[in-house]
Amino acid sequence: MHNINSKQLAAAPEGVVLVDIRQPNEWRETGVIGGSHLLTFSGDNIDDWLAELEKLATPQDDLVLVCRSGRRTGILLEFLHERTDYRRSRHLTDGILGWLGNGLPVETFDG
């Protein structure tokens, strides 16, 4: 299963590695899910982004990617599954908007 929604993620056991790929202005706008690693993915920094990802999670970790609506992470997830060893990774299908829509908590980002 490569998809996970907000309710499933909220109920997931400890050990999930969350990586929020949005831009800093988006983090400020909505806040971030507690414990998330903030690693912006812009599309033109794939090698640098992968190098940073490797510092946060191994291909064996339960990696879940987060973006605004699930669109960007869906595209990135396809790339990860086809071109890297991160074939177990998943993405938050309803994004931070779904998380917020379900009344789940976020932490303020003021960086």
Side-chain angles (χ1 to χ4, degrees):
M1 178 176 96
H2 302 304
N3 299 326
I4 187 169
N5 66 37
S6 294
K7 289 181 180 180
Q8 292 167 325
L9 179 60
E14 294 292 318
V16 173
V17 179
L18 289 175
V19 176
D20 191 322
I21 70 166
R22 298 176 299 148
Q23 303 283 335
N25 64 309
E26 294 177 283
W27 299 327
R28 280 189 290 278
E29 182 182 315
T30 63
V32 297
I33 299 171
S36 292
H37 298 281
L38 307 179
L39 184 58
T40 298
F41 179 77
S42 64
D44 59 357
N45 64 341
I46 188 68
D47 291 333
D48 293 338
W49 189 86
L50 284 171
E52 291 301 313
L53 179 64
E54 289 173 3
K55 297 175 186 176
L56 303 174
T58 70
Q60 291 73 42
D61 286 328
D62 187 4
L63 172 65
V64 176
L65 303 173
V66 178
C67 70
R68 181 176 175 273
S69 67
R71 187 185 70 79
R72 282 177 280 178
T73 53
I75 294 167
L76 181 55
L77 188 71
E78 191 173 313
F79 172 83
L80 289 177
H81 287 177
E82 290 178 0
R83 306 265 178 96
T84 75
D85 291 333
Y86 288 91
R87 291 183 183 91
R88 295 183 62 221
S89 55
R90 300 182 285 172
H91 82 115
L92 189 61
T93 56
D94 51 356
I96 194 73
L97 294 180
W99 183 267
L100 292 169
N102 282 306
L104 296 165
V106 291
E107 295 178 353
T108 301
F109 175 80
D110 53 13

